[in-house]
Structure formats: structure tokens, C-alpha cells
mmCIF file of all heavy atoms in Angstrom:
data_model
loop_
_atom_site.group_PDB
_atom_site.id
_atom_site.type_symbol
_atom_site.label_atom_id
_atom_site.label_comp_id
_atom_site.label_asym_id
_atom_site.label_seq_id
_atom_site.Cartn_x
_atom_site.Cartn_y
_atom_site.Cartn_z
ATOM 1 N N TRP A 1 -24.341 2.447 -4.179
ATOM 2 C CA TRP A 1 -23.132 2.526 -3.352
ATOM 3 C C TRP A 1 -22.525 3.917 -3.415
ATOM 4 O O TRP A 1 -22.534 4.558 -4.475
ATOM 5 C CB TRP A 1 -22.073 1.556 -3.862
ATOM 6 C CG TRP A 1 -22.059 0.202 -3.231
ATOM 7 C CD1 TRP A 1 -22.935 -0.300 -2.326
ATOM 8 C CD2 TRP A 1 -21.110 -0.840 -3.499
ATOM 9 N NE1 TRP A 1 -22.596 -1.590 -2.001
ATOM 10 C CE2 TRP A 1 -21.479 -1.950 -2.705
ATOM 11 C CE3 TRP A 1 -19.994 -0.954 -4.316
ATOM 12 C CZ2 TRP A 1 -20.766 -3.147 -2.711
ATOM 13 C CZ3 TRP A 1 -19.287 -2.141 -4.339
ATOM 14 C CH2 TRP A 1 -19.676 -3.229 -3.538
ATOM 15 N N PHE A 2 -21.969 4.344 -2.286
ATOM 16 C CA PHE A 2 -21.041 5.469 -2.268
ATOM 17 C C PHE A 2 -19.641 4.906 -2.121
ATOM 18 O O PHE A 2 -19.379 4.100 -1.227
ATOM 19 C CB PHE A 2 -21.332 6.420 -1.105
ATOM 20 C CG PHE A 2 -20.377 7.585 -1.037
ATOM 21 C CD1 PHE A 2 -20.659 8.777 -1.693
ATOM 22 C CD2 PHE A 2 -19.171 7.492 -0.331
ATOM 23 C CE1 PHE A 2 -19.766 9.850 -1.638
ATOM 24 C CE2 PHE A 2 -18.287 8.547 -0.280
ATOM 25 C CZ PHE A 2 -18.579 9.742 -0.940
ATOM 26 N N LEU A 3 -18.743 5.316 -3.016
ATOM 27 C CA LEU A 3 -17.351 4.871 -2.991
ATOM 28 C C LEU A 3 -16.461 6.099 -2.897
ATOM 29 O O LEU A 3 -16.483 6.963 -3.780
ATOM 30 C CB LEU A 3 -17.009 4.087 -4.265
ATOM 31 C CG LEU A 3 -17.845 2.826 -4.529
ATOM 32 C CD1 LEU A 3 -17.684 2.379 -5.975
ATOM 33 C CD2 LEU A 3 -17.435 1.717 -3.584
ATOM 34 N N SER A 4 -15.696 6.202 -1.825
ATOM 35 C CA SER A 4 -14.785 7.338 -1.687
ATOM 36 C C SER A 4 -13.606 7.174 -2.639
ATOM 37 O O SER A 4 -13.256 6.051 -3.040
ATOM 38 C CB SER A 4 -14.285 7.449 -0.246
ATOM 39 O OG SER A 4 -13.403 6.371 0.053
ATOM 40 N N VAL A 5 -12.988 8.281 -2.991
ATOM 41 C CA VAL A 5 -11.809 8.220 -3.851
ATOM 42 C C VAL A 5 -10.676 7.492 -3.144
ATOM 43 O O VAL A 5 -9.909 6.748 -3.769
ATOM 44 C CB VAL A 5 -11.390 9.637 -4.281
ATOM 45 C CG1 VAL A 5 -10.011 9.621 -4.929
ATOM 46 C CG2 VAL A 5 -12.397 10.209 -5.269
ATOM 47 N N ASN A 6 -10.563 7.684 -1.844
ATOM 48 C CA ASN A 6 -9.545 6.965 -1.069
ATOM 49 C C ASN A 6 -9.717 5.455 -1.219
ATOM 50 O O ASN A 6 -8.747 4.712 -1.426
ATOM 51 C CB ASN A 6 -9.641 7.359 0.407
ATOM 52 C CG ASN A 6 -8.664 6.597 1.275
ATOM 53 O OD1 ASN A 6 -7.466 6.540 0.992
ATOM 54 N ND2 ASN A 6 -9.150 5.989 2.350
ATOM 55 N N LEU A 7 -10.956 4.981 -1.132
ATOM 56 C CA LEU A 7 -11.238 3.553 -1.302
ATOM 57 C C LEU A 7 -10.855 3.091 -2.703
ATOM 58 O O LEU A 7 -10.203 2.043 -2.872
ATOM 59 C CB LEU A 7 -12.720 3.300 -1.046
ATOM 60 C CG LEU A 7 -13.223 1.873 -1.277
ATOM 61 C CD1 LEU A 7 -12.629 0.915 -0.249
ATOM 62 C CD2 LEU A 7 -14.752 1.832 -1.220
ATOM 63 N N LEU A 8 -11.240 3.844 -3.716
ATOM 64 C CA LEU A 8 -10.943 3.455 -5.092
ATOM 65 C C LEU A 8 -9.440 3.448 -5.362
ATOM 66 O O LEU A 8 -8.934 2.595 -6.100
ATOM 67 C CB LEU A 8 -11.649 4.398 -6.063
ATOM 68 C CG LEU A 8 -13.168 4.226 -6.157
ATOM 69 C CD1 LEU A 8 -13.797 5.403 -6.881
ATOM 70 C CD2 LEU A 8 -13.515 2.927 -6.850
ATOM 71 N N GLN A 9 -8.721 4.384 -4.757
ATOM 72 C CA GLN A 9 -7.266 4.423 -4.952
ATOM 73 C C GLN A 9 -6.586 3.222 -4.320
ATOM 74 O O GLN A 9 -5.607 2.693 -4.858
ATOM 75 C CB GLN A 9 -6.702 5.720 -4.363
ATOM 76 C CG GLN A 9 -7.066 6.964 -5.168
ATOM 77 C CD GLN A 9 -6.665 8.246 -4.472
ATOM 78 O OE1 GLN A 9 -6.437 8.275 -3.253
ATOM 79 N NE2 GLN A 9 -6.577 9.331 -5.229
ATOM 80 N N GLU A 10 -7.093 2.774 -3.186
ATOM 81 C CA GLU A 10 -6.456 1.659 -2.474
ATOM 82 C C GLU A 10 -6.924 0.291 -2.978
ATOM 83 O O GLU A 10 -6.137 -0.649 -3.062
ATOM 84 C CB GLU A 10 -6.751 1.774 -0.968
ATOM 85 C CG GLU A 10 -6.133 2.981 -0.296
ATOM 86 C CD GLU A 10 -4.610 2.916 -0.276
ATOM 87 O OE1 GLU A 10 -4.066 1.808 -0.181
ATOM 88 O OE2 GLU A 10 -3.981 3.984 -0.375
ATOM 89 N N VAL A 11 -8.199 0.192 -3.301
ATOM 90 C CA VAL A 11 -8.787 -1.107 -3.646
ATOM 91 C C VAL A 11 -8.956 -1.277 -5.149
ATOM 92 O O VAL A 11 -8.894 -2.385 -5.667
ATOM 93 C CB VAL A 11 -10.150 -1.275 -2.937
ATOM 94 C CG1 VAL A 11 -10.820 -2.584 -3.316
ATOM 95 C CG2 VAL A 11 -9.961 -1.209 -1.423
ATOM 96 N N GLY A 12 -9.138 -0.170 -5.862
ATOM 97 C CA GLY A 12 -9.404 -0.229 -7.291
ATOM 98 C C GLY A 12 -10.889 -0.250 -7.576
ATOM 99 O O GLY A 12 -11.727 -0.113 -6.676
ATOM 100 N N GLY A 13 -11.235 -0.437 -8.829
ATOM 101 C CA GLY A 13 -12.625 -0.498 -9.232
ATOM 102 C C GLY A 13 -13.155 -1.919 -9.181
ATOM 103 O O GLY A 13 -12.575 -2.807 -8.542
ATOM 104 N N PHE A 14 -14.259 -2.134 -9.883
ATOM 105 C CA PHE A 14 -14.852 -3.470 -9.915
ATOM 106 C C PHE A 14 -13.979 -4.429 -10.726
ATOM 107 O O PHE A 14 -13.244 -4.012 -11.626
ATOM 108 C CB PHE A 14 -16.251 -3.413 -10.544
ATOM 109 C CG PHE A 14 -17.297 -2.804 -9.662
ATOM 110 C CD1 PHE A 14 -17.626 -1.459 -9.766
ATOM 111 C CD2 PHE A 14 -17.972 -3.571 -8.721
ATOM 112 C CE1 PHE A 14 -18.607 -0.896 -8.967
ATOM 113 C CE2 PHE A 14 -18.950 -3.018 -7.904
ATOM 114 C CZ PHE A 14 -19.264 -1.678 -8.036
ATOM 115 N N HIS A 15 -14.070 -5.700 -10.411
ATOM 116 C CA HIS A 15 -13.314 -6.744 -11.104
ATOM 117 C C HIS A 15 -13.912 -6.933 -12.504
ATOM 118 O O HIS A 15 -15.108 -7.155 -12.659
ATOM 119 C CB HIS A 15 -13.396 -8.053 -10.312
ATOM 120 C CG HIS A 15 -12.358 -9.057 -10.670
ATOM 121 N ND1 HIS A 15 -12.216 -9.578 -11.941
ATOM 122 C CD2 HIS A 15 -11.393 -9.657 -9.923
ATOM 123 C CE1 HIS A 15 -11.231 -10.448 -11.955
ATOM 124 N NE2 HIS A 15 -10.703 -10.510 -10.753
ATOM 125 N N ASP A 16 -13.049 -6.888 -13.526
ATOM 126 C CA ASP A 16 -13.531 -6.952 -14.908
ATOM 127 C C ASP A 16 -14.127 -8.301 -15.290
ATOM 128 O O ASP A 16 -14.837 -8.406 -16.294
ATOM 129 C CB ASP A 16 -12.392 -6.623 -15.884
ATOM 130 C CG ASP A 16 -12.103 -5.136 -15.967
ATOM 131 O OD1 ASP A 16 -12.948 -4.345 -15.521
ATOM 132 O OD2 ASP A 16 -11.038 -4.761 -16.481
ATOM 133 N N ASP A 17 -13.855 -9.349 -14.526
ATOM 134 C CA ASP A 17 -14.350 -10.684 -14.882
ATOM 135 C C ASP A 17 -15.827 -10.890 -14.539
ATOM 136 O O ASP A 17 -16.398 -11.918 -14.898
ATOM 137 C CB ASP A 17 -13.537 -11.774 -14.177
ATOM 138 C CG ASP A 17 -12.163 -11.954 -14.803
ATOM 139 O OD1 ASP A 17 -11.918 -11.354 -15.874
ATOM 140 O OD2 ASP A 17 -11.337 -12.686 -14.229
ATOM 141 N N PHE A 18 -16.424 -9.916 -13.838
ATOM 142 C CA PHE A 18 -17.817 -10.070 -13.406
ATOM 143 C C PHE A 18 -18.707 -9.178 -14.266
ATOM 144 O O PHE A 18 -18.648 -7.957 -14.178
ATOM 145 C CB PHE A 18 -17.974 -9.704 -11.937
ATOM 146 C CG PHE A 18 -17.312 -10.675 -11.001
ATOM 147 C CD1 PHE A 18 -15.942 -10.634 -10.783
ATOM 148 C CD2 PHE A 18 -18.054 -11.641 -10.346
ATOM 149 C CE1 PHE A 18 -15.327 -11.535 -9.930
ATOM 150 C CE2 PHE A 18 -17.456 -12.550 -9.491
ATOM 151 C CZ PHE A 18 -16.091 -12.497 -9.283
ATOM 152 N N PHE A 19 -19.554 -9.817 -15.072
ATOM 153 C CA PHE A 19 -20.462 -9.056 -15.934
ATOM 154 C C PHE A 19 -21.691 -8.598 -15.155
ATOM 155 O O PHE A 19 -22.062 -7.431 -15.164
ATOM 156 C CB PHE A 19 -20.882 -9.909 -17.129
ATOM 157 C CG PHE A 19 -21.950 -9.273 -17.961
ATOM 158 C CD1 PHE A 19 -21.634 -8.224 -18.813
ATOM 159 C CD2 PHE A 19 -23.263 -9.703 -17.898
ATOM 160 C CE1 PHE A 19 -22.614 -7.613 -19.588
ATOM 161 C CE2 PHE A 19 -24.249 -9.110 -18.660
ATOM 162 C CZ PHE A 19 -23.925 -8.063 -19.508
ATOM 163 N N MET A 20 -22.327 -9.519 -14.466
ATOM 164 C CA MET A 20 -23.532 -9.210 -13.695
ATOM 165 C C MET A 20 -23.682 -10.253 -12.604
ATOM 166 O O MET A 20 -23.511 -11.452 -12.868
ATOM 167 C CB MET A 20 -24.761 -9.235 -14.605
ATOM 168 C CG MET A 20 -26.071 -8.873 -13.922
ATOM 169 S SD MET A 20 -27.424 -8.880 -15.118
ATOM 170 C CE MET A 20 -28.807 -8.475 -14.068
ATOM 171 N N TYR A 21 -23.959 -9.802 -11.401
ATOM 172 C CA TYR A 21 -24.039 -10.623 -10.193
ATOM 173 C C TYR A 21 -22.629 -10.976 -9.684
ATOM 174 O O TYR A 21 -21.765 -11.362 -10.451
ATOM 175 C CB TYR A 21 -24.842 -11.919 -10.391
ATOM 176 C CG TYR A 21 -26.279 -11.719 -10.707
ATOM 177 C CD1 TYR A 21 -26.802 -12.138 -11.922
ATOM 178 C CD2 TYR A 21 -27.130 -11.112 -9.794
ATOM 179 C CE1 TYR A 21 -28.149 -11.960 -12.214
ATOM 180 C CE2 TYR A 21 -28.473 -10.935 -10.085
ATOM 181 C CZ TYR A 21 -28.966 -11.352 -11.304
ATOM 182 O OH TYR A 21 -30.288 -11.151 -11.587
ATOM 183 N N GLY A 22 -22.464 -10.819 -8.388
ATOM 184 C CA GLY A 22 -21.224 -11.209 -7.746
ATOM 185 C C GLY A 22 -20.150 -10.145 -7.730
ATOM 186 O O GLY A 22 -19.202 -10.230 -6.956
ATOM 187 N N GLU A 23 -20.289 -9.112 -8.582
ATOM 188 C CA GLU A 23 -19.254 -8.082 -8.612
ATOM 189 C C GLU A 23 -19.186 -7.317 -7.295
ATOM 190 O O GLU A 23 -18.098 -6.928 -6.847
ATOM 191 C CB GLU A 23 -19.449 -7.121 -9.780
ATOM 192 C CG GLU A 23 -20.692 -6.226 -9.720
ATOM 193 C CD GLU A 23 -21.910 -6.901 -10.281
ATOM 194 O OE1 GLU A 23 -22.577 -7.633 -9.518
ATOM 195 O OE2 GLU A 23 -22.239 -6.648 -11.451
ATOM 196 N N ASP A 24 -20.347 -7.125 -6.656
ATOM 197 C CA ASP A 24 -20.359 -6.426 -5.373
ATOM 198 C C ASP A 24 -19.807 -7.308 -4.253
ATOM 199 O O ASP A 24 -19.119 -6.826 -3.345
ATOM 200 C CB ASP A 24 -21.750 -5.916 -5.023
ATOM 201 C CG ASP A 24 -22.857 -6.945 -5.203
ATOM 202 O OD1 ASP A 24 -22.553 -8.109 -5.524
ATOM 203 O OD2 ASP A 24 -24.040 -6.570 -5.025
ATOM 204 N N LYS A 25 -20.093 -8.596 -4.322
ATOM 205 C CA LYS A 25 -19.560 -9.516 -3.310
ATOM 206 C C LYS A 25 -18.026 -9.570 -3.393
ATOM 207 O O LYS A 25 -17.328 -9.485 -2.377
ATOM 208 C CB LYS A 25 -20.151 -10.912 -3.494
ATOM 209 C CG LYS A 25 -19.848 -11.873 -2.359
ATOM 210 C CD LYS A 25 -20.596 -13.177 -2.539
ATOM 211 C CE LYS A 25 -22.093 -13.016 -2.365
ATOM 212 N NZ LYS A 25 -22.464 -12.698 -0.945
ATOM 213 N N GLU A 26 -17.508 -9.676 -4.614
ATOM 214 C CA GLU A 26 -16.055 -9.704 -4.789
ATOM 215 C C GLU A 26 -15.435 -8.397 -4.306
ATOM 216 O O GLU A 26 -14.374 -8.401 -3.671
ATOM 217 C CB GLU A 26 -15.705 -9.953 -6.266
ATOM 218 C CG GLU A 26 -14.231 -10.180 -6.549
ATOM 219 C CD GLU A 26 -13.390 -8.909 -6.616
ATOM 220 O OE1 GLU A 26 -13.929 -7.850 -7.009
ATOM 221 O OE2 GLU A 26 -12.196 -8.970 -6.261
ATOM 222 N N TYR A 27 -16.100 -7.273 -4.587
ATOM 223 C CA TYR A 27 -15.547 -5.976 -4.171
ATOM 224 C C TYR A 27 -15.534 -5.847 -2.648
ATOM 225 O O TYR A 27 -14.573 -5.316 -2.069
ATOM 226 C CB TYR A 27 -16.345 -4.827 -4.794
ATOM 227 C CG TYR A 27 -15.592 -3.517 -4.732
ATOM 228 C CD1 TYR A 27 -14.744 -3.142 -5.762
ATOM 229 C CD2 TYR A 27 -15.699 -2.668 -3.630
ATOM 230 C CE1 TYR A 27 -14.022 -1.958 -5.708
ATOM 231 C CE2 TYR A 27 -14.992 -1.487 -3.563
ATOM 232 C CZ TYR A 27 -14.152 -1.143 -4.604
ATOM 233 O OH TYR A 27 -13.428 0.021 -4.534
ATOM 234 N N CYS A 28 -16.579 -6.332 -2.005
ATOM 235 C CA CYS A 28 -16.608 -6.290 -0.537
ATOM 236 C C CYS A 28 -15.495 -7.160 0.048
ATOM 237 O O CYS A 28 -14.822 -6.767 1.005
ATOM 238 C CB CYS A 28 -17.965 -6.746 -0.015
ATOM 239 S SG CYS A 28 -19.285 -5.531 -0.214
ATOM 240 N N TYR A 29 -15.291 -8.344 -0.513
ATOM 241 C CA TYR A 29 -14.201 -9.209 -0.060
ATOM 242 C C TYR A 29 -12.857 -8.498 -0.222
ATOM 243 O O TYR A 29 -12.013 -8.502 0.687
ATOM 244 C CB TYR A 29 -14.170 -10.505 -0.877
ATOM 245 C CG TYR A 29 -15.269 -11.496 -0.579
ATOM 246 C CD1 TYR A 29 -15.663 -12.427 -1.535
ATOM 247 C CD2 TYR A 29 -15.920 -11.515 0.653
ATOM 248 C CE1 TYR A 29 -16.667 -13.353 -1.277
ATOM 249 C CE2 TYR A 29 -16.929 -12.431 0.916
ATOM 250 C CZ TYR A 29 -17.287 -13.350 -0.061
ATOM 251 O OH TYR A 29 -18.272 -14.262 0.211
ATOM 252 N N ARG A 30 -12.658 -7.893 -1.384
ATOM 253 C CA ARG A 30 -11.373 -7.234 -1.662
ATOM 254 C C ARG A 30 -11.188 -6.018 -0.762
ATOM 255 O O ARG A 30 -10.070 -5.741 -0.299
ATOM 256 C CB ARG A 30 -11.330 -6.849 -3.142
ATOM 257 C CG ARG A 30 -9.999 -6.290 -3.609
ATOM 258 C CD ARG A 30 -9.769 -6.486 -5.106
ATOM 259 N NE ARG A 30 -10.975 -6.423 -5.890
ATOM 260 C CZ ARG A 30 -11.358 -5.371 -6.626
ATOM 261 N NH1 ARG A 30 -10.608 -4.276 -6.647
ATOM 262 N NH2 ARG A 30 -12.461 -5.407 -7.341
ATOM 263 N N SER A 31 -12.248 -5.283 -0.502
ATOM 264 C CA SER A 31 -12.171 -4.139 0.405
ATOM 265 C C SER A 31 -11.732 -4.574 1.795
ATOM 266 O O SER A 31 -10.858 -3.952 2.421
ATOM 267 C CB SER A 31 -13.533 -3.434 0.494
ATOM 268 O OG SER A 31 -13.924 -2.911 -0.743
ATOM 269 N N ARG A 32 -12.329 -5.647 2.279
ATOM 270 C CA ARG A 32 -11.981 -6.139 3.608
ATOM 271 C C ARG A 32 -10.534 -6.629 3.660
ATOM 272 O O ARG A 32 -9.837 -6.445 4.660
ATOM 273 C CB ARG A 32 -12.952 -7.253 4.006
ATOM 274 C CG ARG A 32 -14.362 -6.741 4.296
ATOM 275 C CD ARG A 32 -15.389 -7.857 4.440
ATOM 276 N NE ARG A 32 -14.917 -8.885 5.355
ATOM 277 C CZ ARG A 32 -15.033 -10.187 5.135
ATOM 278 N NH1 ARG A 32 -15.588 -10.631 4.019
ATOM 279 N NH2 ARG A 32 -14.607 -11.051 6.020
ATOM 280 N N PHE A 33 -10.058 -7.225 2.575
ATOM 281 C CA PHE A 33 -8.667 -7.665 2.519
ATOM 282 C C PHE A 33 -7.708 -6.481 2.681
ATOM 283 O O PHE A 33 -6.638 -6.602 3.279
ATOM 284 C CB PHE A 33 -8.389 -8.383 1.198
ATOM 285 C CG PHE A 33 -6.955 -8.800 1.012
ATOM 286 C CD1 PHE A 33 -6.439 -9.894 1.697
ATOM 287 C CD2 PHE A 33 -6.112 -8.093 0.168
ATOM 288 C CE1 PHE A 33 -5.106 -10.272 1.544
ATOM 289 C CE2 PHE A 33 -4.787 -8.460 -0.001
ATOM 290 C CZ PHE A 33 -4.281 -9.559 0.692
ATOM 291 N N HIS A 34 -8.113 -5.328 2.151
ATOM 292 C CA HIS A 34 -7.288 -4.120 2.239
ATOM 293 C C HIS A 34 -7.562 -3.314 3.511
ATOM 294 O O HIS A 34 -7.051 -2.205 3.659
ATOM 295 C CB HIS A 34 -7.505 -3.237 1.016
ATOM 296 C CG HIS A 34 -6.861 -3.767 -0.235
ATOM 297 N ND1 HIS A 34 -5.547 -3.558 -0.550
ATOM 298 C CD2 HIS A 34 -7.369 -4.535 -1.234
ATOM 299 C CE1 HIS A 34 -5.263 -4.139 -1.699
ATOM 300 N NE2 HIS A 34 -6.354 -4.747 -2.133
ATOM 301 N N GLY A 35 -8.356 -3.859 4.419
ATOM 302 C CA GLY A 35 -8.593 -3.203 5.698
ATOM 303 C C GLY A 35 -9.814 -2.325 5.766
ATOM 304 O O GLY A 35 -10.050 -1.664 6.786
ATOM 305 N N PHE A 36 -10.619 -2.281 4.707
ATOM 306 C CA PHE A 36 -11.823 -1.454 4.685
ATOM 307 C C PHE A 36 -13.043 -2.276 5.104
ATOM 308 O O PHE A 36 -13.065 -3.491 4.922
ATOM 309 C CB PHE A 36 -12.059 -0.877 3.290
ATOM 310 C CG PHE A 36 -11.029 0.117 2.857
ATOM 311 C CD1 PHE A 36 -9.839 -0.305 2.252
ATOM 312 C CD2 PHE A 36 -11.218 1.474 3.052
ATOM 313 C CE1 PHE A 36 -8.877 0.607 1.849
ATOM 314 C CE2 PHE A 36 -10.257 2.394 2.654
ATOM 315 C CZ PHE A 36 -9.084 1.959 2.048
ATOM 316 N N SER A 37 -14.035 -1.606 5.658
ATOM 317 C CA SER A 37 -15.262 -2.280 6.101
ATOM 318 C C SER A 37 -16.455 -1.786 5.298
ATOM 319 O O SER A 37 -16.753 -0.583 5.317
ATOM 320 C CB SER A 37 -15.522 -2.003 7.583
ATOM 321 O OG SER A 37 -14.503 -2.538 8.393
ATOM 322 N N PRO A 38 -17.158 -2.672 4.595
ATOM 323 C CA PRO A 38 -18.427 -2.266 3.995
ATOM 324 C C PRO A 38 -19.388 -1.772 5.073
ATOM 325 O O PRO A 38 -19.384 -2.288 6.189
ATOM 326 C CB PRO A 38 -18.933 -3.562 3.345
ATOM 327 C CG PRO A 38 -17.705 -4.396 3.136
ATOM 328 C CD PRO A 38 -16.799 -4.064 4.290
ATOM 329 N N ILE A 39 -20.170 -0.776 4.735
ATOM 330 C CA ILE A 39 -21.044 -0.139 5.723
ATOM 331 C C ILE A 39 -22.450 0.019 5.163
ATOM 332 O O ILE A 39 -22.632 0.417 4.003
ATOM 333 C CB ILE A 39 -20.482 1.241 6.138
ATOM 334 C CG1 ILE A 39 -19.204 1.067 6.979
ATOM 335 C CG2 ILE A 39 -21.516 2.060 6.902
ATOM 336 C CD1 ILE A 39 -18.508 2.358 7.323
ATOM 337 N N VAL A 40 -23.439 -0.299 5.986
ATOM 338 C CA VAL A 40 -24.830 0.006 5.675
ATOM 339 C C VAL A 40 -25.237 1.228 6.499
ATOM 340 O O VAL A 40 -25.148 1.204 7.730
ATOM 341 C CB VAL A 40 -25.757 -1.181 5.999
ATOM 342 C CG1 VAL A 40 -27.225 -0.759 5.884
ATOM 343 C CG2 VAL A 40 -25.481 -2.351 5.064
#
């Protein structure tokens, strides 16, 4: 992943409750909640 500083400032980092698997899904959900769009 590429994560801009603007994205990290608005959305934050990864959720601490996710050790492995699902952390990216939760981050994409949270990004979209804040108005950001995941991009391929």
C-alpha cells in the first residue's frame, strides 16, 4: 500500500485490535467513512 500523510492524519493508522488478517479491510471501511476512496 501507498498511504499519503494526509490520509494518515485524517484516518489514522491501522486498528490495534487486528493482529493479522482483516486489518486492511477495516482500514478501507474507515477510509471510506472519512470520505476517502481506496484505489487500485
